[in-house]
Structure formats: C-alpha cells, structure tokens
Amino acid sequence: MNKTGLWRMLCAALAGLTVLQATAAAADDTVDPLASVRWAQMRAQFTGADPLVFDERVRVIAPEVAENPLQVPVTVDASALPGIEEVVVFADFNPIEQVLRYYPRSEVPAYLGFRLKLQQSSPVRAAARTRDGRWHVGGAWVNTVGGGCTAPTGGAAEAGWATHLNEVQGRLWSSGPQAGRLRLRILHPMDTGLIAGTPAFHLDELRFSTPDGRLLMRVQTYEPVATNPVFTLQPGLAEQGIVVEGRDNNGNRLQQRITP
C-alpha cells in the first residue's frame, strides 16, 4: 500500500475515533457538576440504572454557608419541569443521606421549602422523576461547621413537649404576592437515633389535601429533617383552606385544617 493509501486509512480511523468520542461525551450527562466523591454511590442508591440528567430546572436553593447545622433552610423548586411524579432530596455526606421525598399532584407546583440537619459540609440534591422514568437532578453545596445529625436537638428536653407533640401552626395566604402559599410548623423533636440512648423518633408522612379530600401532595419525611419542622408549599386553593394530616414513626397522628 502506498503512502497515500496509508494516509487515507489513518484519517478515516481518526475521524471514526472523533465520532466515538463525541458520541460518548454526548451520552455522558451524569458527570457530577458538584464534583462529589460520593456521587456514584448516591446515584446507585437513589436513582439506580434509570436514565438521568442534570437539569437547571430543578433548583435547590440553600445558603452557601449554614451557621446552624441543626436548622439549614432549603427550598426545592422544580415547578418549571413538567410531568413530575416524585422528588427525592438527599445529602451526600450525611450519615443518613435521605432527607425526604414528595409526590406533587399535576396541578400543584413541585415546590417545597423545609429545614434539615447537616453533619458536615455536603452537596444537597433533589432528583425529580418524570412520567417517562427519567430523573432530573439539581443541587447545591452547603458549607457548615457540622455535627447537625449527632448533636442533641433539645426538642424532647423542652418542658411539656409531649403535651404539644404534633401540634400544627400554619398560615395560608389568600391575597398579595404570596397568595396561595402555605407555611406550617409542626412541633416534633425529629430525633435521628444517632445519639446514644435516644432512639429515632421522627415524622413519617404528611398529606396535604383539600377539605373535600382531594390529595394535593404527599411528603415522606426522614430523620435529617430539622426539629420542629417548617414546610412551605404553593398549593393554591387558598379560598378553600388546606387540610394537613400525618403521622410519626411511633404511630402518633396529626390533623389540622389551615384557612386564610
């Protein structure tokens, strides 16, 4: 074979390699933008082999620096992404990674504000599963002094805490820029079980419904949710009011109707 033939073969091989590299790069949409060494474990644990893409429409709003690791405010806003069936929130470097899951109905924005406990600086992520089975992931790094999951919360040490367990305080806005916004606080110690002599004791499930029983959103909560948890939703329907029902992992129940 002459030099011209060899050169053509080499060019063809290089062109093929370039195409393969470009295809691989296009397919590799799971490179972690937060560069966490635990990302591969988190993906295997929470999304498995399902299709996944990092998506800017899944917004995790959190402070860059959290001064109080026991009460880190986080908002997940995936309302710009259509067809969401489930959202799971987790923190890579927490001893208990899973924070909560929520299941919004189609007419309710996939928006949830809450507070969590962080053991150390960590990515906090939200993975939203759409009807096609694909996971859309967003996240934010939160830096903190740490110890949030293994420090005593003090919730059960407050006088009369058992008497007021699962009491709900809430507000539903009916007008103004926050019309249709719901914010509530539930009195509960939310013990992680990681402190010697203190078993896990936490809210297990919350359901938000209309007064006639139409479910708007279901939330599964786990140990890393902060003591006396605060939740913010945007369910609308302010003129009707919202019914909140729930239980903790000891079977204690709560129910409250919140009206404007």
mmCIF file of all heavy atoms in Angstrom, residues 23 40 45 47 51 79 91 96 116 125 139 154 159 163-164 194 217 228 242 244 248:
data_model
loop_
_atom_site.group_PDB
_atom_site.id
_atom_site.type_symbol
_atom_site.label_atom_id
_atom_site.label_comp_id
_atom_site.label_asym_id
_atom_site.label_seq_id
_atom_site.Cartn_x
_atom_site.Cartn_y
_atom_site.Cartn_z
ATOM 1 N N THR A 23 -19.736 11.012 20.594
ATOM 2 C CA THR A 23 -20.939 10.286 20.997
ATOM 3 C C THR A 23 -20.903 9.958 22.480
ATOM 4 O O THR A 23 -21.888 10.095 23.198
ATOM 5 C CB THR A 23 -21.074 8.996 20.175
ATOM 6 O OG1 THR A 23 -21.117 9.330 18.797
ATOM 7 C CG2 THR A 23 -22.336 8.244 20.564
ATOM 8 N N ALA A 40 -21.289 8.636 42.686
ATOM 9 C CA ALA A 40 -21.604 7.315 42.135
ATOM 10 C C ALA A 40 -22.438 6.501 43.116
ATOM 11 O O ALA A 40 -23.388 5.809 42.719
ATOM 12 C CB ALA A 40 -20.317 6.564 41.783
ATOM 13 N N GLN A 45 -27.819 4.513 44.811
ATOM 14 C CA GLN A 45 -28.771 4.372 45.911
ATOM 15 C C GLN A 45 -30.136 4.962 45.590
ATOM 16 O O GLN A 45 -31.167 4.372 45.937
ATOM 17 C CB GLN A 45 -28.200 5.044 47.162
ATOM 18 C CG GLN A 45 -29.099 4.957 48.392
ATOM 19 C CD GLN A 45 -28.422 5.519 49.624
ATOM 20 O OE1 GLN A 45 -27.196 5.679 49.663
ATOM 21 N NE2 GLN A 45 -29.203 5.835 50.642
ATOM 22 N N THR A 47 -31.270 6.581 42.351
ATOM 23 C CA THR A 47 -31.847 6.542 41.004
ATOM 24 C C THR A 47 -31.512 5.266 40.251
ATOM 25 O O THR A 47 -32.097 5.004 39.198
ATOM 26 C CB THR A 47 -31.389 7.757 40.175
ATOM 27 O OG1 THR A 47 -29.974 7.675 39.959
ATOM 28 C CG2 THR A 47 -31.713 9.055 40.898
ATOM 29 N N PRO A 51 -32.570 6.328 33.526
ATOM 30 C CA PRO A 51 -31.985 7.473 32.816
ATOM 31 C C PRO A 51 -31.922 8.691 33.728
ATOM 32 O O PRO A 51 -32.832 8.930 34.535
ATOM 33 C CB PRO A 51 -32.957 7.702 31.650
ATOM 34 C CG PRO A 51 -33.699 6.426 31.499
ATOM 35 C CD PRO A 51 -33.780 5.804 32.849
ATOM 36 N N SER A 79 -40.788 23.506 39.748
ATOM 37 C CA SER A 79 -42.081 23.826 39.132
ATOM 38 C C SER A 79 -41.972 24.100 37.639
ATOM 39 O O SER A 79 -42.980 24.050 36.923
ATOM 40 C CB SER A 79 -42.715 25.024 39.844
ATOM 41 O OG SER A 79 -41.833 26.135 39.866
ATOM 42 N N ALA A 91 -28.560 14.305 50.994
ATOM 43 C CA ALA A 91 -27.303 15.000 51.255
ATOM 44 C C ALA A 91 -26.172 13.969 51.220
ATOM 45 O O ALA A 91 -26.168 13.026 52.018
ATOM 46 C CB ALA A 91 -27.348 15.716 52.603
ATOM 47 N N ILE A 96 -27.198 9.781 57.504
ATOM 48 C CA ILE A 96 -28.477 9.347 56.928
ATOM 49 C C ILE A 96 -28.704 10.275 55.737
ATOM 50 O O ILE A 96 -29.063 11.443 55.902
ATOM 51 C CB ILE A 96 -29.627 9.450 57.945
ATOM 52 C CG1 ILE A 96 -29.299 8.631 59.199
ATOM 53 C CG2 ILE A 96 -30.947 8.986 57.331
ATOM 54 C CD1 ILE A 96 -30.282 8.825 60.333
ATOM 55 N N LEU A 116 -33.244 21.223 57.277
ATOM 56 C CA LEU A 116 -32.637 19.916 57.525
ATOM 57 C C LEU A 116 -31.422 20.042 58.435
ATOM 58 O O LEU A 116 -30.927 21.135 58.700
ATOM 59 C CB LEU A 116 -32.273 19.232 56.209
ATOM 60 C CG LEU A 116 -31.299 19.924 55.253
ATOM 61 C CD1 LEU A 116 -29.846 19.683 55.647
ATOM 62 C CD2 LEU A 116 -31.513 19.424 53.830
ATOM 63 N N ARG A 125 -29.041 17.642 47.327
ATOM 64 C CA ARG A 125 -29.549 17.412 45.977
ATOM 65 C C ARG A 125 -31.041 17.104 45.977
ATOM 66 O O ARG A 125 -31.580 16.569 46.949
ATOM 67 C CB ARG A 125 -28.819 16.245 45.320
ATOM 68 C CG ARG A 125 -27.303 16.361 45.295
ATOM 69 C CD ARG A 125 -26.720 15.176 44.575
ATOM 70 N NE ARG A 125 -25.303 15.030 44.763
ATOM 71 C CZ ARG A 125 -24.366 15.485 43.927
ATOM 72 N NH1 ARG A 125 -24.733 16.149 42.851
ATOM 73 N NH2 ARG A 125 -23.086 15.271 44.170
ATOM 74 N N GLY A 139 -28.744 20.540 42.450
ATOM 75 C CA GLY A 139 -28.131 20.500 43.768
ATOM 76 C C GLY A 139 -27.359 21.757 44.089
ATOM 77 O O GLY A 139 -27.176 22.639 43.237
ATOM 78 N N GLY A 154 -32.485 19.022 71.515
ATOM 79 C CA GLY A 154 -33.161 19.738 72.582
ATOM 80 C C GLY A 154 -34.670 19.722 72.471
ATOM 81 O O GLY A 154 -35.372 20.210 73.349
ATOM 82 N N ALA A 159 -39.853 21.686 78.165
ATOM 83 C CA ALA A 159 -40.928 21.382 79.107
ATOM 84 C C ALA A 159 -42.254 21.215 78.372
ATOM 85 O O ALA A 159 -42.622 22.033 77.529
ATOM 86 C CB ALA A 159 -41.032 22.496 80.148
ATOM 87 N N THR A 163 -46.947 16.979 75.592
ATOM 88 C CA THR A 163 -48.310 17.520 75.552
ATOM 89 C C THR A 163 -48.583 18.201 74.218
ATOM 90 O O THR A 163 -49.706 18.157 73.700
ATOM 91 C CB THR A 163 -48.522 18.514 76.701
ATOM 92 O OG1 THR A 163 -48.243 17.859 77.940
ATOM 93 C CG2 THR A 163 -49.940 19.051 76.708
ATOM 94 N N HIS A 164 -47.559 18.823 73.666
ATOM 95 C CA HIS A 164 -47.738 19.592 72.428
ATOM 96 C C HIS A 164 -47.226 18.855 71.187
ATOM 97 O O HIS A 164 -47.166 19.445 70.108
ATOM 98 C CB HIS A 164 -47.013 20.935 72.556
ATOM 99 C CG HIS A 164 -47.530 21.790 73.671
ATOM 100 N ND1 HIS A 164 -48.726 22.474 73.589
ATOM 101 C CD2 HIS A 164 -47.027 22.038 74.913
ATOM 102 C CE1 HIS A 164 -48.934 23.129 74.718
ATOM 103 N NE2 HIS A 164 -47.930 22.887 75.541
ATOM 104 N N LEU A 194 -29.087 8.742 66.282
ATOM 105 C CA LEU A 194 -27.633 8.648 66.251
ATOM 106 C C LEU A 194 -26.982 9.105 67.550
ATOM 107 O O LEU A 194 -25.747 9.108 67.656
ATOM 108 C CB LEU A 194 -27.078 9.479 65.081
ATOM 109 C CG LEU A 194 -27.554 9.046 63.687
ATOM 110 C CD1 LEU A 194 -26.981 9.965 62.625
ATOM 111 C CD2 LEU A 194 -27.162 7.598 63.404
ATOM 112 N N MET A 217 -50.568 16.882 47.737
ATOM 113 C CA MET A 217 -49.171 16.474 47.821
ATOM 114 C C MET A 217 -48.990 15.533 49.009
ATOM 115 O O MET A 217 -49.586 15.734 50.059
ATOM 116 C CB MET A 217 -48.234 17.681 47.978
ATOM 117 C CG MET A 217 -46.752 17.319 47.999
ATOM 118 S SD MET A 217 -45.635 18.738 48.310
ATOM 119 C CE MET A 217 -45.832 19.645 46.771
ATOM 120 N N ASN A 228 -38.820 20.399 65.061
ATOM 121 C CA ASN A 228 -39.976 21.291 64.875
ATOM 122 C C ASN A 228 -40.020 21.777 63.427
ATOM 123 O O ASN A 228 -39.876 22.967 63.132
ATOM 124 C CB ASN A 228 -39.915 22.474 65.844
ATOM 125 C CG ASN A 228 -39.992 22.032 67.298
ATOM 126 O OD1 ASN A 228 -40.624 21.032 67.625
ATOM 127 N ND2 ASN A 228 -39.354 22.785 68.173
ATOM 128 N N ILE A 242 -56.589 24.309 53.468
ATOM 129 C CA ILE A 242 -55.805 23.099 53.247
ATOM 130 C C ILE A 242 -55.869 22.238 54.508
ATOM 131 O O ILE A 242 -55.746 22.747 55.628
ATOM 132 C CB ILE A 242 -54.332 23.427 52.935
ATOM 133 C CG1 ILE A 242 -54.225 24.307 51.687
ATOM 134 C CG2 ILE A 242 -53.520 22.150 52.760
ATOM 135 C CD1 ILE A 242 -54.663 23.654 50.407
ATOM 136 N N VAL A 244 -54.058 19.311 56.616
ATOM 137 C CA VAL A 244 -52.783 18.635 56.811
ATOM 138 C C VAL A 244 -53.015 17.433 57.725
ATOM 139 O O VAL A 244 -53.568 17.576 58.821
ATOM 140 C CB VAL A 244 -51.735 19.570 57.448
ATOM 141 C CG1 VAL A 244 -50.387 18.859 57.551
ATOM 142 C CG2 VAL A 244 -51.614 20.850 56.654
ATOM 143 N N ASP A 248 -46.116 10.033 62.839
ATOM 144 C CA ASP A 248 -44.685 9.813 63.037
ATOM 145 C C ASP A 248 -44.406 8.320 63.103
ATOM 146 O O ASP A 248 -45.322 7.493 62.988
ATOM 147 C CB ASP A 248 -44.160 10.573 64.257
ATOM 148 C CG ASP A 248 -44.799 10.124 65.574
ATOM 149 O OD1 ASP A 248 -45.222 8.959 65.684
ATOM 150 O OD2 ASP A 248 -44.867 10.954 66.509
#
